[in-house]
Amino acid sequence: WILKQAGTDKFHGHGLVLVDPPYDSDSSSDKWNLLLLHHFNSRWPESCVALWYPSVDAAQAKGFHERVRQLELGDVLVAELTLEQQSPHLARSGVLIVN
């Protein structure tokens, strides 16, 4: 729904989008997150997007960050947290903010 509405008269001017998407797998969640970031940047450039994402390991996070960089979204702030007691499903978590 929100992808169809972004860029219409319902979403104009400055705004904040908080994204906590569902996850099936690392590869599908990364693709979905990249699609969202690109879509909001192109259809609602005045928006600020805060995106939460899980991360299994540093290599996966680095790859995701590189793909975000390739989108050329402008300023991006990344904050990550590594869990002391890691599970096989979630070792790290991050928030990426695009303005």
Side-chain angles (χ1 to χ4, degrees), residues 70-87:
Q70 291 170 358
L71 292 175
E72 299 179 353
L73 302 172
D75 294 333
V76 177
L77 173 67
V78 174
E80 289 192 339
L81 171 73
T82 301
L83 303 174
E84 190 172 307
Q85 294 182 343
Q86 300 176 3
S87 78

Side-chain angles (χ1 to χ4, degrees), residues 2-36:
I2 200 160
L3 288 177
K4 290 180 182 179
Q5 301 302 318
T8 68
D9 59 348
K10 293 180 183 181
F11 293 93
H12 62 281
H14 296 283
L16 173 64
V17 179
L18 302 173
V19 182
D20 182 6
Y23 292 96
D24 296 325
S25 68
D26 293 331
S27 63
S28 69
S29 65
D30 283 356
K31 290 175 187 173
W32 173 248
N33 290 338
L34 293 167
L35 172 70
L36 276 172

Side-chain angles (χ1 to χ4, degrees), residues 17-23 29-30 32-33 36-37 49-55 64 79 81 89-90 92-97:
V17 179
L18 302 173
V19 182
D20 182 6
Y23 292 96
S29 65
D30 283 356
W32 173 248
N33 290 338
L36 276 172
L37 291 170
V49 179
L51 172 75
W52 176 86
Y53 61 93
S55 179
F64 177 65
L81 171 73
H89 305 290
L90 181 66
R92 308 156 54 103
S93 180
V95 175
L96 185 138
I97 300 173

Side-chain angles (χ1 to χ4, degrees), residues 55-73:
S55 179
V56 176
D57 58 36
Q60 185 259 341
K62 184 178 179 182
F64 177 65
H65 297 156
E66 181 56 35
R67 289 190 297 279
V68 170
R69 213 175 348 270
Q70 291 170 358
L71 292 175
E72 299 179 353
L73 302 172

